[in-house]
Amino acid sequence: MNGQVKRAFRYRFYPSEVQAAELSRTFGCVRKVYNLALQARAEAWTRGERVGYEATSALLTVWKRTEELAFLAEVSAVPLQQALRHLQTAFGNFWAKRARFPRFKSRKKSRASAEYTRSAFRWRDGVLTLAKMAEPLDIRWSRPLPEGVVPSTVTVSRDAAGRWFVSLLCEDPSVTPLPVTDAVVCIDVGLDHLLVLSSGEKIGNPRHERRDRERLARAQRALCRKQKGSNNRAKARVRVARLHARIADRRTDFLHKVTTRLVRENQTLVIEDLAVSNMVGNHRLARAINDAGWRQFRQQLEYKAGWHGRDVIVIDRWFPSSKLCSACGALAAAMPLHLRTWTCGCGTTHDRDVNAARNILAAGLAASVCGAGVRPQRNTPGGQSVTKQKTLRREL
């Protein structure tokens, strides 16, 4: 694995007025090319035809020669080509049934970004200069890059709060497998406690959004009072975006610390397959689930485990972990929601969450040995078991 892991290093930078104008123009051209190519491919799709990357690349040359779209030739061609490649990837995911049909990019809602490959930037002694720019970017190096590496791809972006970021994709030789250990842990996510481990440890839910909810509500009310199209409304929108960015940064930092510790301490990690996208459709749970960051937690856990030679086992979401006795295997007929501890007929007293984590651990290890998944239970229209949804409501 040494030297084979590609890792993105993200930094803030502060562009000059000329650089900011050039990048903003590039973002707009990238969005325009993506939407034009998507429209051409969607029209071909309705006719039963498939238009690939090569055809849209040829169309890009034609668009640049038209009077209406001549401005596309004023920016670097590489980010425009990369937008077409990203669209090709989106269609590939759609055909493989991993994603929905690609959607058009909105100027207000879509992420403003542009991707540069090696032919469109210059990297010398830690100084980065993008194509069409005379001066290098003023980057704040919050952490050093691995010694001797050269970025293969540079992605420049601007978030809703007006902050500028540059992401450098490099091969990181420092990412190596960790020493093999016998430690195995099951992780059960929740809202009262963010994580409950099979060892009995409970990691509290920081509830980052709730800490700033009052301040966020005041900022949103102030935004609503501003006249649409005014400068004051634009300033109020940035204030709201900065609060959201602050909440997201705290959440990401906390999850990075938790997932890094779990991967370092355990060889095998067992988690439950939760349909988070379906669960947030429940308006009583959506705010708390999004604040907990379950999907982000799983993503971090899986890619860090892959980096360091750890195993992540995912069991079926319908496994009755709460009602199953982890000592004798008896299945309780009913499990009232107010019971956080219960006693099985065998005499064992269980903490509800810890017992569920231990059952998930046993099911995950059994599935890994026999090579099969855990038997699914009855599905519900919401994409999650009735017991799980009711339990979450109570934790709220």
Side-chain angles (χ1 to χ4, degrees), residues 241-284:
R242 286 176 177 171
L243 283 172
H244 280 295
R246 175 183 174 182
I247 294 169
D249 289 345
R250 287 204 306 259
R251 181 186 301 116
T252 300
D253 179 69
F254 178 78
L255 292 177
H256 271 301
K257 292 175 180 177
V258 171
T259 53
T260 298
R261 179 175 74 87
L262 291 173
V263 169
R264 285 177 177 174
E265 295 177 354
N266 301 279
Q267 179 66 35
T268 303
L269 304 103
V270 184
I271 59 176
E272 188 178 6
D273 182 23
L274 298 179
V276 178
S277 58
N278 292 335
M279 295 176 68
V280 295
N282 185 327
H283 297 294
R284 297 180 61 183

Side-chain angles (χ1 to χ4, degrees), residues 361-374:
L361 172 61
L365 294 179
S368 66
V369 171
C370 67
V374 179

Side-chain angles (χ1 to χ4, degrees), residues 38-49 101:
L38 176 55
Q39 182 178 0
R41 296 185 66 155
E43 291 174 353
W45 176 263
T46 58
R47 298 191 302 268
E49 303 174 1
F101 192 86

Side-chain angles (χ1 to χ4, degrees), residues 13-31:
F13 76 98
Y14 298 85
S16 64
E17 292 184 3
V18 176
Q19 290 175 334
E22 175 64 27
L23 289 173
S24 297
R25 190 161 50 247
T26 302
F27 295 159
C29 291
V30 166
R31 184 179 61 253

Side-chain angles (χ1 to χ4, degrees), residues 1 15 35 62 111 124 166 172 200 214 217 219 233 333 355 370 381:
M1 182 181 295
N35 289 340
V62 175
R111 178 171 175 260
R124 292 180 181 175
V166 58
D172 189 358
E214 184 176 349
R233 185 178 178 87
N355 176 67
C370 67

Side-chain angles (χ1 to χ4, degrees), residues 275-315:
V276 178
S277 58
N278 292 335
M279 295 176 68
V280 295
N282 185 327
H283 297 294
R284 297 180 61 183
L285 302 175
R287 193 173 198 171
I289 292 175
N290 286 328
D291 189 25
W294 291 349
R295 181 183 286 108
Q296 188 178 9
F297 167 77
R298 177 171 172 176
Q299 289 174 344
Q300 291 185 12
L301 195 70
E302 288 180 334
Y303 79 71
K304 289 179 182 180
W307 281 359
H308 301 294
R310 301 311 200 196
D311 299 318
V312 175
I313 300 175
V314 182
I315 73 162

